[in-house]
């Protein structure tokens, strides 16, 4: 009688191998350590200034110059400094804050929508001159904002718009970089078959753009919006050229006005550091809230072959 031979699969312990990446290649431990180290250095580079601002905003003027810059002083005056910032000059900082929200919020939203519409049109419609338009937009990316501030001031002065909200808001409505990014992203992700299927179902071009195009382009739109918010919020030179009324100042110009008075009034150091701390909070909140959209829209336009 022959012995029965087991046909059940035998478990063989494989030798330890480096972890595989999503692409199928093996990732070496040394590479992982190197990448992690670089990311740690970059994180420290960006977080140290924020940490310094938090520490500096918690100090009195004497502690700010008499103690270690990266550690707290003898007295914790953070809340007193923030209260002074919000109440100084009949709450002028709150007005500056609201102005920055207006400039960055409205300007960022409209600029993102216009960039999405223009990029989508260049990517999905065939018409004469589309490459020329795209080339002109690329040329606009290379022009720094400081080079156009003075011509814009002369133009707005002739139109009677200088020293108004419009003088800062209108230039913020155009984003050449956002236009470029949306065109590239729409060309790569918005499938033409989806557009044709929507047309067969009777949808108009505007409806297709708003229901399909914008949804699929969400990661690119979030990127453009964040770039616009950060750029407009931190913009200093354009408001400096356009505005002379203190009530129209954004935060950047207002804080610089406080900082220029520190030589004769040292208490403005506390106001400036406290104001800087409050000014970075909206940007941090926007980054935390919007980052999930980068992951959420990556497969919106996927279709089966």
């Amino acid at each position: 009688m022959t012995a029965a031979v087991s046909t059940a699969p035998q478990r063989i312990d494989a030798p330890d191998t480096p972890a595989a990446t999503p692409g199928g290649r093996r990732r070496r431990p040394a590479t992982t350590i190197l990448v992690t180290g670089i990311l740690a250095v970059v994180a420290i580079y960006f977080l140290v200034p924020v940490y310094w601002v938090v520490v500096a905003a918690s100090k009195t003027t004497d502690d700010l110059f008499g103690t270690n810059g990266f550690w707290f002083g003898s007295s914790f005056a953070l809340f007193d400094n923030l209260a002074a910032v919000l109440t100084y000059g009949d709450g002028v900082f709150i007005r500056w804050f609201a102005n920055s929200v207006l400039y960055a919020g409205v300007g960022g939203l409209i600029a993102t929508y216009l960039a999405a519409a223009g990029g989508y049109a260049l990517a999905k419609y065939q018409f004469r001159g589309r490459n020329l338009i795209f080339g002109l937009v690329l040329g606009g990316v290379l022009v720094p904002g400081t080079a156009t501030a003075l011509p814009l001031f002369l133009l707005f002065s002739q139109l009677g718009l200088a020293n108004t909200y419009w003088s800062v808001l209108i230039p913020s409505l155009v984003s050449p970089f956002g236009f470029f990014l949306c065109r590239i992203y729409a060309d790569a992700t918005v499938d033409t078959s989806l557009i044709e299927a929507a047309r067969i179902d009777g949808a108009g071009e505007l409806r297709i753009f708003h229901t399909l195009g914008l949804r699929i382009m969400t990661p690119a739109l979030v990127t453009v919006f964040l770039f616009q918010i950060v750029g407009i919020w931190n913009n200093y030179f354009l408001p400096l050229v356009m505005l002379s009324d203190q009530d129209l100042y954004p935060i950047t110009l207002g804080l610089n006005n406080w900082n220029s008075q520190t030589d004769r009034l040292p208490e403005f150091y506390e106001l400036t550091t406290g104001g800087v701390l409050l000014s970075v909070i909206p940007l941090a909140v926007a980054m935390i809230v919007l980052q999930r959209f980068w992951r959420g829209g990556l497969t919106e336009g996927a279709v089966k072959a």
Side-chain angles (χ1 to χ4, degrees):
M1 181 180 296
T2 60
V5 178
S6 174
T7 60
Q10 301 296 319
R11 182 176 181 272
I12 301 176
D13 294 333
D16 293 337
T17 56
T21 61
R25 294 175 296 179
R26 299 297 178 182
R27 184 171 54 198
R28 298 177 180 274
T31 303
T32 302
I33 296 174
L34 178 62
V35 172
T36 304
I38 294 175
L39 293 177
V41 172
V42 172
I44 292 173
Y45 175 80
F46 285 105
L47 292 177
V48 165
V50 178
Y51 169 76
W52 182 91
V53 169
V54 174
V55 172
S58 67
K59 295 181 178 181
T60 62
T61 301
D62 293 337
D63 288 339
L64 187 62
F65 293 97
T67 59
N68 190 312
F70 289 95
W71 195 244
F72 298 94
S74 57
S75 60
F76 188 78
L78 176 62
F79 300 107
D80 293 336
N81 292 341
L82 296 182
V85 169
L86 297 176
T87 57
Y88 179 82
D90 295 329
V92 67
F93 180 85
I94 299 177
R95 186 175 183 87
W96 295 341
F97 190 93
N99 292 340
S100 291
V101 171
L102 173 65
Y103 297 141
V106 176
L109 282 174
I110 297 179
T112 301
Y113 178 82
L114 294 178
Y120 174 87
L122 280 186
K124 309 315 297 183
Y125 297 126
Q126 301 292 331
F127 57 90
R128 182 177 299 178
R130 62 195 295 262
N131 292 329
L132 176 61
I133 296 175
F134 189 61
L136 293 176
V137 172
L138 289 181
V141 175
L142 303 177
V143 178
T146 54
T148 60
L150 185 58
L152 283 175
F153 172 74
L154 297 177
L155 176 62
F156 286 167
S157 295
Q158 294 178 354
L159 296 175
L161 297 177
N163 196 33
T164 64
Y165 285 109
W166 296 109
S167 61
V168 178
L169 189 58
I170 291 178
S172 303
L173 303 182
V174 179
S175 174
F177 169 75
F179 188 93
F180 165 76
L181 179 63
C182 288
R183 192 266 185 184
I184 298 299
Y185 196 87
D187 188 44
T189 60
V190 181
D191 197 275
T192 305
S193 61
L194 291 176
I195 299 176
E196 293 175 350
R199 289 170 179 165
I200 293 175
D201 290 339
E205 298 300 324
L206 285 178
R207 184 179 180 184
I208 295 173
F209 169 67
H210 288 104
T211 57
L212 291 179
L214 291 182
R215 182 175 299 178
I216 296 172
M217 295 168 61
T218 297
L221 300 185
V222 172
T223 303
V224 174
F225 183 61
L226 284 176
F227 269 92
Q228 281 297 107
I229 284 182
V230 174
I232 299 171
W233 191 275
N234 295 329
N235 193 2
Y236 170 76
F237 189 71
L238 180 64
L240 177 65
V241 172
M242 293 292 182
L243 304 176
S244 58
D245 187 356
Q246 184 175 346
D247 291 336
L248 303 179
Y249 283 1
I251 284 182
T252 51
L253 206 55
L255 291 178
N256 183 75
N257 186 27
W258 280 356
N259 187 56
S260 64
Q261 303 181 54
T262 54
D263 292 336
R264 60 185 183 86
L265 296 172
E267 60 268 19
F268 274 94
Y269 281 112
E270 301 172 8
L271 295 176
T272 303
T273 54
V276 170
L277 177 60
L278 291 176
S279 69
V280 301
I281 293 177
L283 299 181
V285 172
M287 179 65 68
I288 294 173
V289 171
L290 296 176
Q291 67 175 344
R292 64 187 181 91
F293 291 100
W294 275 315
R295 301 187 301 269
L298 292 178
T299 59
E300 289 284 349
V303 295
K304 290 186 178 181

